[in-house]
Short mmCIF file of all heavy atoms in Angstrom, two decimals:
data_model
loop_
_atom_site.label_atom_id
_atom_site.label_comp_id
_atom_site.label_asym_id
_atom_site.label_seq_id
_atom_site.Cartn_x
_atom_site.Cartn_y
_atom_site.Cartn_z
N PHE V 28 82.75 125.94 84.54
CA PHE V 28 83.13 124.86 85.40
C PHE V 28 84.33 124.12 84.92
O PHE V 28 84.63 124.02 83.82
CB PHE V 28 81.97 123.79 85.51
CG PHE V 28 80.74 124.24 86.11
CD1 PHE V 28 79.69 124.62 85.33
CD2 PHE V 28 80.56 124.32 87.41
CE1 PHE V 28 78.48 125.10 85.93
CE2 PHE V 28 79.42 124.83 88.07
CZ PHE V 28 78.40 125.16 87.27
N ILE V 29 85.09 123.59 85.89
CA ILE V 29 86.26 122.76 85.52
C ILE V 29 85.85 121.32 86.06
O ILE V 29 85.48 121.23 87.28
CB ILE V 29 87.52 123.24 86.10
CG1 ILE V 29 87.99 124.49 85.53
CG2 ILE V 29 88.66 122.14 86.09
CD1 ILE V 29 89.22 125.11 86.11
N ASP V 30 85.93 120.42 85.20
CA ASP V 30 85.64 118.97 85.61
C ASP V 30 86.98 118.42 86.26
O ASP V 30 88.05 118.68 85.81
CB ASP V 30 85.27 118.16 84.46
CG ASP V 30 84.65 116.78 84.83
OD1 ASP V 30 85.37 115.88 85.23
OD2 ASP V 30 83.46 116.70 84.92
N ILE V 31 86.71 117.60 87.33
CA ILE V 31 87.91 116.94 88.01
C ILE V 31 88.72 116.11 86.98
O ILE V 31 89.99 115.93 87.27
CB ILE V 31 87.44 116.18 89.18
CG1 ILE V 31 88.62 115.97 90.18
CG2 ILE V 31 86.73 114.87 88.82
CD1 ILE V 31 88.20 115.68 91.53
N ALA V 32 88.16 115.63 85.97
CA ALA V 32 88.94 114.82 84.99
C ALA V 32 89.55 115.56 83.93
O ALA V 32 90.23 115.01 83.05
CB ALA V 32 87.92 113.76 84.43
N ASP V 33 89.37 116.93 83.90
CA ASP V 33 89.95 117.75 82.77
C ASP V 33 91.58 117.68 82.80
O ASP V 33 92.10 117.67 83.89
CB ASP V 33 89.58 119.20 82.96
CG ASP V 33 88.09 119.51 82.51
OD1 ASP V 33 87.51 118.62 81.96
OD2 ASP V 33 87.67 120.60 82.77
N SER V 34 92.05 117.71 81.63
CA SER V 34 93.56 117.81 81.50
C SER V 34 93.98 119.16 81.70
O SER V 34 93.18 120.13 81.70
CB SER V 34 93.98 117.21 80.07
OG SER V 34 93.51 118.23 79.09
N LEU V 35 95.26 119.35 81.74
CA LEU V 35 95.89 120.72 81.86
C LEU V 35 95.54 121.48 80.60
O LEU V 35 95.17 122.73 80.81
CB LEU V 35 97.38 120.64 81.97
CG LEU V 35 98.16 121.96 82.07
CD1 LEU V 35 97.55 122.75 83.16
CD2 LEU V 35 99.62 121.71 82.14
N GLU V 36 95.55 120.94 79.45
CA GLU V 36 95.21 121.78 78.22
C GLU V 36 93.72 122.12 78.28
O GLU V 36 93.41 123.27 77.89
CB GLU V 36 95.47 120.89 76.96
CG GLU V 36 96.91 120.67 76.76
CD GLU V 36 97.78 121.91 76.67
OE1 GLU V 36 97.26 122.93 76.03
OE2 GLU V 36 98.76 121.92 77.25
N GLN V 37 92.79 121.29 78.68
CA GLN V 37 91.39 121.67 78.89
C GLN V 37 91.21 122.77 79.90
O GLN V 37 90.43 123.70 79.59
CB GLN V 37 90.49 120.50 79.32
CG GLN V 37 90.50 119.39 78.14
CD GLN V 37 89.83 118.12 78.70
OE1 GLN V 37 90.21 117.58 79.71
NE2 GLN V 37 88.87 117.68 77.95
N VAL V 38 91.90 122.72 81.05
CA VAL V 38 91.78 123.79 82.05
C VAL V 38 92.34 125.11 81.48
O VAL V 38 91.71 126.06 81.69
CB VAL V 38 92.50 123.31 83.34
CG1 VAL V 38 92.67 124.52 84.39
CG2 VAL V 38 91.82 122.10 83.94
N LYS V 39 93.49 125.02 80.89
CA LYS V 39 94.06 126.27 80.28
C LYS V 39 93.22 126.93 79.33
O LYS V 39 93.01 128.11 79.28
CB LYS V 39 95.52 126.00 79.67
CG LYS V 39 96.47 125.77 80.75
CD LYS V 39 97.92 125.63 80.25
CE LYS V 39 98.33 125.14 79.02
NZ LYS V 39 99.70 124.98 78.74
N SER V 40 92.55 126.06 78.52
CA SER V 40 91.54 126.53 77.54
C SER V 40 90.42 127.32 78.11
O SER V 40 89.97 128.39 77.72
CB SER V 40 91.05 125.38 76.58
OG SER V 40 90.09 125.93 75.66
N LYS V 41 89.78 126.66 79.17
CA LYS V 41 88.69 127.27 79.87
C LYS V 41 89.02 128.60 80.59
O LYS V 41 88.27 129.58 80.52
CB LYS V 41 88.13 126.30 80.91
CG LYS V 41 87.36 125.08 80.25
CD LYS V 41 86.95 124.09 81.28
CE LYS V 41 86.35 122.92 80.61
NZ LYS V 41 85.81 121.89 81.53
N ILE V 42 90.25 128.60 81.14
CA ILE V 42 90.72 129.81 81.85
C ILE V 42 90.92 130.92 80.79
O ILE V 42 90.55 132.12 81.03
CB ILE V 42 92.02 129.54 82.60
CG1 ILE V 42 91.77 128.62 83.78
CG2 ILE V 42 92.71 130.80 83.07
CD1 ILE V 42 92.98 128.05 84.53
N CYS V 43 91.50 130.66 79.66
CA CYS V 43 91.77 131.68 78.57
C CYS V 43 90.46 132.20 78.01
O CYS V 43 90.33 133.42 77.73
CB CYS V 43 92.69 131.05 77.51
SG CYS V 43 94.33 130.91 78.05
N LYS V 44 89.49 131.35 77.84
CA LYS V 44 88.19 131.74 77.23
C LYS V 44 87.36 132.54 78.23
O LYS V 44 86.83 133.59 77.83
CB LYS V 44 87.30 130.59 76.77
CG LYS V 44 87.77 129.85 75.64
CD LYS V 44 86.94 128.71 75.33
CE LYS V 44 87.47 127.97 74.19
NZ LYS V 44 86.66 126.73 73.85
N ALA V 45 87.27 132.28 79.46
CA ALA V 45 86.48 132.98 80.45
C ALA V 45 87.24 134.02 81.21
O ALA V 45 86.68 135.10 81.59
CB ALA V 45 85.86 132.04 81.47
N GLY V 46 88.52 133.80 81.57
CA GLY V 46 89.34 134.84 82.26
C GLY V 46 89.00 135.10 83.69
O GLY V 46 89.38 136.15 84.26
N HIS V 47 88.30 134.20 84.39
CA HIS V 47 88.03 134.27 85.76
C HIS V 47 89.22 133.87 86.63
O HIS V 47 90.09 133.21 86.18
CB HIS V 47 86.84 133.43 86.19
CG HIS V 47 85.62 133.76 85.44
ND1 HIS V 47 84.95 135.02 85.56
CD2 HIS V 47 84.91 133.09 84.50
CE1 HIS V 47 83.88 135.06 84.75
NE2 HIS V 47 83.77 133.93 84.10
N SER V 48 89.20 134.36 87.90
CA SER V 48 90.24 133.89 88.76
C SER V 48 90.01 132.75 89.65
O SER V 48 90.95 132.18 90.18
CB SER V 48 90.63 135.17 89.72
OG SER V 48 89.48 135.42 90.57
N ARG V 49 88.72 132.34 89.63
CA ARG V 49 88.40 131.21 90.46
C ARG V 49 87.35 130.47 89.70
O ARG V 49 86.53 131.06 89.02
CB ARG V 49 87.70 131.54 91.76
CG ARG V 49 88.77 132.13 92.79
CD ARG V 49 88.02 132.66 94.02
NE ARG V 49 88.88 133.23 94.93
CZ ARG V 49 89.27 134.55 94.94
NH1 ARG V 49 88.91 135.28 93.96
NH2 ARG V 49 90.19 134.98 95.75
N TYR V 50 87.38 129.08 89.70
CA TYR V 50 86.35 128.20 89.01
C TYR V 50 85.87 127.13 89.92
O TYR V 50 86.70 126.55 90.58
CB TYR V 50 87.06 127.54 87.81
CG TYR V 50 87.45 128.49 86.70
CD1 TYR V 50 88.64 129.19 86.77
CD2 TYR V 50 86.59 128.75 85.59
CE1 TYR V 50 88.97 130.14 85.72
CE2 TYR V 50 86.94 129.66 84.63
CZ TYR V 50 88.07 130.38 84.69
OH TYR V 50 88.41 131.29 83.77
N PRO V 51 84.54 126.83 89.85
CA PRO V 51 84.01 125.69 90.53
C PRO V 51 84.46 124.38 89.87
O PRO V 51 84.69 124.37 88.74
CB PRO V 51 82.49 125.87 90.48
CG PRO V 51 82.23 126.73 89.32
CD PRO V 51 83.48 127.59 89.12
N VAL V 52 84.68 123.37 90.76
CA VAL V 52 85.11 122.07 90.24
C VAL V 52 83.94 121.18 90.40
O VAL V 52 83.38 121.01 91.45
CB VAL V 52 86.39 121.55 91.00
CG1 VAL V 52 86.72 120.14 90.50
CG2 VAL V 52 87.54 122.54 90.75
N ILE V 53 83.64 120.33 89.34
CA ILE V 53 82.58 119.40 89.39
C ILE V 53 83.14 117.98 88.97
O ILE V 53 84.26 117.87 88.56
CB ILE V 53 81.40 119.78 88.41
CG1 ILE V 53 81.92 119.87 86.91
CG2 ILE V 53 80.82 121.10 88.85
CD1 ILE V 53 80.79 119.98 85.88
N ASP V 54 82.30 117.04 89.22
CA ASP V 54 82.60 115.61 88.67
C ASP V 54 81.47 115.17 87.85
O ASP V 54 80.57 114.41 88.22
CB ASP V 54 82.78 114.67 89.93
CG ASP V 54 83.26 113.36 89.50
OD1 ASP V 54 83.59 113.19 88.29
OD2 ASP V 54 83.32 112.43 90.27
N LYS V 55 81.40 115.81 86.64
CA LYS V 55 80.37 115.56 85.58
C LYS V 55 79.04 116.13 85.86
O LYS V 55 78.25 116.40 84.93
CB LYS V 55 80.33 114.09 85.27
CG LYS V 55 81.60 113.44 84.71
CD LYS V 55 81.44 111.95 84.32
CE LYS V 55 82.60 111.39 83.72
NZ LYS V 55 83.51 110.89 84.74
N ASP V 56 78.67 116.30 87.11
CA ASP V 56 77.34 116.88 87.55
C ASP V 56 77.52 118.33 87.95
O ASP V 56 78.03 118.54 89.04
CB ASP V 56 76.69 116.01 88.61
CG ASP V 56 75.43 116.53 89.11
OD1 ASP V 56 74.78 117.37 88.47
OD2 ASP V 56 74.90 115.94 90.06
N PRO V 57 77.05 119.27 87.12
CA PRO V 57 77.17 120.71 87.50
C PRO V 57 76.46 121.08 88.80
O PRO V 57 76.66 122.18 89.25
CB PRO V 57 76.71 121.41 86.28
CG PRO V 57 75.99 120.52 85.43
CD PRO V 57 76.45 119.09 85.88
N THR V 58 75.53 120.27 89.26
CA THR V 58 74.81 120.64 90.44
C THR V 58 75.54 120.12 91.72
O THR V 58 75.14 120.54 92.85
CB THR V 58 73.44 120.03 90.45
OG1 THR V 58 73.48 118.57 90.45
CG2 THR V 58 72.64 120.53 89.24
N ALA V 59 76.57 119.37 91.59
CA ALA V 59 77.42 118.90 92.73
C ALA V 59 78.81 119.46 92.69
O ALA V 59 79.68 118.86 92.09
CB ALA V 59 77.45 117.35 92.70
N ILE V 60 79.06 120.56 93.29
CA ILE V 60 80.34 121.28 93.31
C ILE V 60 81.19 120.69 94.31
O ILE V 60 80.77 120.62 95.49
CB ILE V 60 80.09 122.79 93.38
CG1 ILE V 60 79.35 123.30 92.21
CG2 ILE V 60 81.46 123.51 93.47
CD1 ILE V 60 78.96 124.76 92.32
N LEU V 61 82.39 120.23 93.95
CA LEU V 61 83.33 119.61 94.85
C LEU V 61 84.18 120.73 95.58
O LEU V 61 84.67 120.45 96.64
CB LEU V 61 84.27 118.74 94.01
CG LEU V 61 83.65 117.64 93.23
CD1 LEU V 61 84.73 116.87 92.41
CD2 LEU V 61 82.90 116.64 94.10
N GLY V 62 84.40 121.87 94.91
CA GLY V 62 85.12 122.87 95.60
C GLY V 62 85.58 123.88 94.45
O GLY V 62 84.81 123.97 93.49
N LEU V 63 86.61 124.65 94.71
CA LEU V 63 87.03 125.63 93.75
C LEU V 63 88.46 125.58 93.48
O LEU V 63 89.22 125.10 94.27
CB LEU V 63 86.54 127.07 94.10
CG LEU V 63 87.23 127.71 95.30
CD1 LEU V 63 88.51 128.38 94.92
CD2 LEU V 63 86.24 128.70 95.68
N VAL V 64 88.90 126.01 92.30
CA VAL V 64 90.34 126.20 92.05
C VAL V 64 90.60 127.70 91.75
O VAL V 64 89.77 128.39 91.26
CB VAL V 64 90.86 125.26 90.94
CG1 VAL V 64 90.75 123.81 91.17
CG2 VAL V 64 90.12 125.53 89.67
N LYS V 65 91.87 128.15 92.14
CA LYS V 65 92.25 129.52 91.80
C LYS V 65 93.23 129.42 90.69
O LYS V 65 94.31 128.65 90.73
CB LYS V 65 92.95 130.03 93.07
CG LYS V 65 91.93 130.33 94.14
CD LYS V 65 92.65 130.96 95.39
CE LYS V 65 91.62 131.15 96.50
NZ LYS V 65 92.35 131.68 97.71
N THR V 66 93.12 130.18 89.68
CA THR V 66 93.96 130.18 88.53
C THR V 66 95.39 130.51 88.84
O THR V 66 96.34 129.90 88.26
CB THR V 66 93.46 131.12 87.44
OG1 THR V 66 93.34 132.43 87.95
CG2 THR V 66 92.07 130.67 86.95
N LYS V 67 95.70 131.39 89.76
CA LYS V 67 97.04 131.79 90.02
C LYS V 67 97.82 130.69 90.71
O LYS V 67 98.99 130.53 90.45
CB LYS V 67 97.17 133.15 90.79
CG LYS V 67 96.75 133.12 92.26
CD LYS V 67 96.92 134.47 92.79
CE LYS V 67 96.52 134.36 94.35
NZ LYS V 67 96.78 135.77 94.87
N GLU V 68 97.16 129.85 91.45
CA GLU V 68 97.78 128.65 92.06
C GLU V 68 98.12 127.66 91.01
O GLU V 68 99.24 127.11 91.07
CB GLU V 68 96.92 128.04 93.15
CG GLU V 68 96.87 128.97 94.37
CD GLU V 68 96.05 128.33 95.50
OE1 GLU V 68 95.71 127.13 95.41
OE2 GLU V 68 95.76 129.05 96.43
N ILE V 69 97.18 127.46 90.08
CA ILE V 69 97.52 126.55 88.91
C ILE V 69 98.68 127.06 88.18
O ILE V 69 99.62 126.26 87.87
CB ILE V 69 96.27 126.35 88.08
CG1 ILE V 69 95.20 125.54 88.84
CG2 ILE V 69 96.64 125.52 86.81
CD1 ILE V 69 93.86 125.48 88.09
N ALA V 70 98.75 128.29 87.84
CA ALA V 70 99.76 128.88 86.98
C ALA V 70 101.12 128.74 87.76
O ALA V 70 102.13 128.41 87.10
CB ALA V 70 99.47 130.29 86.66
N ALA V 71 101.10 128.93 88.95
CA ALA V 71 102.33 128.98 89.77
C ALA V 71 102.90 127.59 89.90
O ALA V 71 104.20 127.36 89.72
CB ALA V 71 102.17 129.58 91.10
N ARG V 72 102.19 126.57 90.05
CA ARG V 72 102.68 125.19 90.27
C ARG V 72 102.95 124.57 88.90
O ARG V 72 103.88 123.77 88.81
CB ARG V 72 101.66 124.41 91.09
CG ARG V 72 101.76 124.92 92.55
CD ARG V 72 100.91 124.16 93.51
NE ARG V 72 101.10 122.70 93.46
CZ ARG V 72 100.29 121.84 94.07
NH1 ARG V 72 99.25 122.23 94.69
NH2 ARG V 72 100.58 120.55 94.22
N VAL V 73 102.19 124.85 87.87
CA VAL V 73 102.34 124.20 86.64
C VAL V 73 103.58 124.74 85.92
O VAL V 73 104.21 123.89 85.31
CB VAL V 73 101.07 124.44 85.75
CG1 VAL V 73 101.34 123.96 84.26
CG2 VAL V 73 99.88 123.60 86.30
N THR V 74 103.89 126.00 86.02
CA THR V 74 105.08 126.49 85.47
C THR V 74 106.34 125.94 85.98
O THR V 74 107.38 125.99 85.51
CB THR V 74 105.07 128.03 85.46
OG1 THR V 74 104.99 128.42 86.78
CG2 THR V 74 104.03 128.65 84.61
N SER V 75 106.20 125.35 87.26
CA SER V 75 107.33 124.84 87.96
C SER V 75 107.68 123.39 87.52
O SER V 75 108.60 122.80 87.86
CB SER V 75 107.10 124.75 89.47
OG SER V 75 106.17 123.87 89.73
N GLY V 76 106.78 122.89 86.50
CA GLY V 76 107.04 121.62 85.88
C GLY V 76 106.50 120.39 86.63
O GLY V 76 106.66 119.30 86.29
N GLU V 77 105.62 120.68 87.65
CA GLU V 77 104.97 119.57 88.45
C GLU V 77 103.98 118.91 87.66
O GLU V 77 103.36 119.54 86.67
CB GLU V 77 104.42 120.13 89.70
CG GLU V 77 105.37 120.68 90.72
CD GLU V 77 104.74 121.23 92.05
OE1 GLU V 77 103.73 120.50 92.37
OE2 GLU V 77 105.24 122.20 92.48
N SER V 78 103.58 117.73 87.93
CA SER V 78 102.56 117.01 87.27
C SER V 78 101.20 117.69 87.65
O SER V 78 101.13 118.31 88.60
CB SER V 78 102.46 115.48 87.59
OG SER V 78 102.16 115.34 88.96
N PHE V 79 100.16 117.48 86.78
CA PHE V 79 98.92 118.23 86.91
C PHE V 79 97.77 117.27 87.12
O PHE V 79 97.44 116.35 86.31
CB PHE V 79 98.62 119.08 85.72
CG PHE V 79 97.29 119.88 85.72
CD1 PHE V 79 97.28 121.05 86.60
CD2 PHE V 79 96.14 119.34 85.21
CE1 PHE V 79 96.05 121.64 86.73
CE2 PHE V 79 94.98 120.04 85.38
CZ PHE V 79 94.86 121.26 86.13
N LYS V 80 97.09 117.53 88.30
CA LYS V 80 95.71 116.86 88.45
C LYS V 80 94.91 117.91 89.15
O LYS V 80 95.29 118.54 90.09
CB LYS V 80 95.85 115.63 89.46
CG LYS V 80 96.55 114.56 88.84
CD LYS V 80 96.36 113.23 89.74
CE LYS V 80 97.34 113.37 90.88
NZ LYS V 80 97.41 112.19 91.70
N VAL V 81 93.60 118.11 88.62
CA VAL V 81 92.75 119.07 89.18
C VAL V 81 92.57 118.95 90.66
O VAL V 81 92.60 119.94 91.44
CB VAL V 81 91.37 119.06 88.44
CG1 VAL V 81 90.41 120.05 89.10
CG2 VAL V 81 91.54 119.49 86.97
N GLU V 82 92.44 117.74 91.06
CA GLU V 82 92.12 117.44 92.51
C GLU V 82 93.25 117.97 93.45
O GLU V 82 93.00 118.27 94.62
CB GLU V 82 91.97 115.96 92.72
CG GLU V 82 93.10 115.08 92.37
CD GLU V 82 92.62 113.68 91.97
OE1 GLU V 82 91.74 113.55 91.32
OE2 GLU V 82 93.47 112.82 92.42
N ASP V 83 94.43 118.14 92.97
CA ASP V 83 95.53 118.75 93.77
C ASP V 83 95.37 120.28 94.10
O ASP V 83 96.03 120.80 94.91
CB ASP V 83 96.90 118.57 93.10
CG ASP V 83 97.29 117.11 92.99
OD1 ASP V 83 96.74 116.28 93.76
OD2 ASP V 83 98.09 116.79 92.16
N TYR V 84 94.45 120.87 93.34
CA TYR V 84 94.17 122.28 93.54
C TYR V 84 92.89 122.66 94.08
O TYR V 84 92.55 123.86 94.30
CB TYR V 84 94.35 123.01 92.14
CG TYR V 84 95.70 122.71 91.46
CD1 TYR V 84 95.97 121.66 90.65
CD2 TYR V 84 96.74 123.59 91.68
CE1 TYR V 84 97.14 121.45 90.12
CE2 TYR V 84 97.97 123.35 91.12
CZ TYR V 84 98.19 122.30 90.36
OH TYR V 84 99.42 122.02 89.88
N ILE V 85 92.04 121.71 94.42
CA ILE V 85 90.65 122.04 94.94
C ILE V 85 90.80 122.52 96.36
O ILE V 85 91.44 122.06 97.19
CB ILE V 85 89.82 120.74 94.88
CG1 ILE V 85 89.62 120.25 93.52
CG2 ILE V 85 88.46 121.04 95.54
CD1 ILE V 85 88.86 118.98 93.39
N GLN V 86 90.04 123.59 96.51
CA GLN V 86 89.86 124.18 97.87
C GLN V 86 88.36 124.10 98.29
O GLN V 86 87.48 124.17 97.42
CB GLN V 86 90.31 125.66 97.91
CG GLN V 86 91.71 125.82 97.58
CD GLN V 86 92.14 127.27 97.58
OE1 GLN V 86 91.37 128.16 97.79
NE2 GLN V 86 93.43 127.51 97.48
N GLU V 87 88.13 123.92 99.51
CA GLU V 87 86.79 123.87 100.10
C GLU V 87 86.04 125.29 99.91
O GLU V 87 86.62 126.33 100.03
CB GLU V 87 86.81 123.54 101.59
CG GLU V 87 85.48 123.36 102.15
CD GLU V 87 85.52 123.00 103.62
OE1 GLU V 87 86.60 122.92 104.23
OE2 GLU V 87 84.48 122.89 104.27
N ILE V 88 84.76 125.14 99.58
CA ILE V 88 83.97 126.38 99.45
C ILE V 88 83.10 126.48 100.76
O ILE V 88 82.48 125.50 101.13
CB ILE V 88 82.94 126.36 98.33
CG1 ILE V 88 83.77 126.19 96.96
CG2 ILE V 88 82.15 127.55 98.17
CD1 ILE V 88 82.96 126.03 95.72
N LEU V 89 83.11 127.61 101.34
CA LEU V 89 82.39 127.82 102.52
C LEU V 89 80.94 128.33 102.13
O LEU V 89 80.82 129.36 101.40
CB LEU V 89 83.04 128.83 103.50
CG LEU V 89 84.35 128.48 103.94
CD1 LEU V 89 84.96 129.57 104.84
CD2 LEU V 89 84.28 127.16 104.76
N PHE V 90 79.91 127.65 102.54
CA PHE V 90 78.54 128.02 102.25
C PHE V 90 77.86 128.60 103.49
O PHE V 90 78.07 128.01 104.52
CB PHE V 90 77.76 126.82 101.78
CG PHE V 90 78.16 126.30 100.38
CD1 PHE V 90 79.03 125.23 100.29
CD2 PHE V 90 77.72 126.95 99.24
CE1 PHE V 90 79.49 124.74 99.14
CE2 PHE V 90 78.06 126.42 98.07
CZ PHE V 90 78.92 125.30 97.99
N LEU V 91 77.21 129.71 103.32
CA LEU V 91 76.46 130.29 104.38
C LEU V 91 75.00 130.14 104.05
O LEU V 91 74.54 130.43 102.97
CB LEU V 91 76.81 131.73 104.58
CG LEU V 91 78.21 132.03 105.06
CD1 LEU V 91 78.36 133.49 105.16
CD2 LEU V 91 78.48 131.42 106.41
N ASN V 92 74.19 129.74 105.06
CA ASN V 92 72.73 129.64 104.89
C ASN V 92 72.28 131.08 104.70
O ASN V 92 72.65 131.97 105.36
CB ASN V 92 72.17 128.99 106.13
CG ASN V 92 70.71 128.76 106.01
OD1 ASN V 92 69.92 129.49 105.50
ND2 ASN V 92 70.29 127.57 106.47
N GLU V 93 71.24 131.20 103.79
CA GLU V 93 70.68 132.50 103.53
C GLU V 93 70.03 133.08 104.74
O GLU V 93 69.84 134.31 104.79
CB GLU V 93 69.85 132.44 102.34
CG GLU V 93 68.53 131.63 102.56
CD GLU V 93 67.70 131.60 101.25
OE1 GLU V 93 68.22 131.11 100.21
OE2 GLU V 93 66.51 131.99 101.30
N ASN V 94 69.67 132.30 105.74
CA ASN V 94 69.09 132.74 106.88
C ASN V 94 70.02 133.22 108.00
O ASN V 94 69.63 133.62 109.08
CB ASN V 94 68.05 131.78 107.46
CG ASN V 94 66.96 131.51 106.54
OD1 ASN V 94 66.50 132.35 105.88
ND2 ASN V 94 66.59 130.21 106.43
N THR V 95 71.28 133.02 107.74
CA THR V 95 72.25 133.41 108.69
C THR V 95 72.44 134.93 108.85
O THR V 95 72.42 135.61 107.82
CB THR V 95 73.74 132.84 108.20
OG1 THR V 95 73.66 131.48 108.06
CG2 THR V 95 74.77 133.21 109.29
N SER V 96 72.41 135.29 110.07
CA SER V 96 72.50 136.91 110.32
C SER V 96 73.89 137.28 110.71
O SER V 96 74.60 136.53 111.10
CB SER V 96 71.43 137.30 111.24
OG SER V 96 71.53 136.66 112.49
#
């Protein structure tokens, strides 16, 4: 998980350790997912020198009911 309050260094550390392409974003509570972030979007924008806030990278997650056919 990436917490919405994580710094760029914390996010980079989590990405390097796990190596996933997408991460769920939480606000301290792992049962309440705010959305997801894609690592390639973070890498592309951060290398351009822009300021970093996790909330700028959050994308909505689409949930399907398990009874959906």
Side-chain angles (χ1 to χ4, degrees):
F28 294 103
I29 291 178
D30 193 282
I31 197 161
D33 283 352
S34 68
L35 177 57
E36 292 305 316
Q37 291 169 313
V38 171
K39 288 192 318 189
S40 174
K41 290 177 183 182
I42 290 170
C43 288
K44 285 180 185 175
H47 301 296
S48 62
R49 293 173 180 86
Y50 291 85
V52 177
I53 60 170
D54 188 7
K55 296 185 179 86
D56 179 7
T58 63
I60 298 174
L61 303 174
L63 67 86
V64 294
K65 294 180 181 176
T66 56
K67 70 178 181 179
E68 289 184 10
I69 292 174
R72 288 180 61 189
V73 169
T74 56
S75 69
E77 295 181 38
S78 63
F79 179 81
K80 289 191 285 184
V81 172
E82 61 207 40
D83 293 339
Y84 300 90
I85 296 176
Q86 297 181 353
E87 181 179 358
I88 299 176
L89 300 176
F90 291 98
L91 295 177
N92 187 318
E93 63 184 60
N94 296 324
T95 302
S96 56

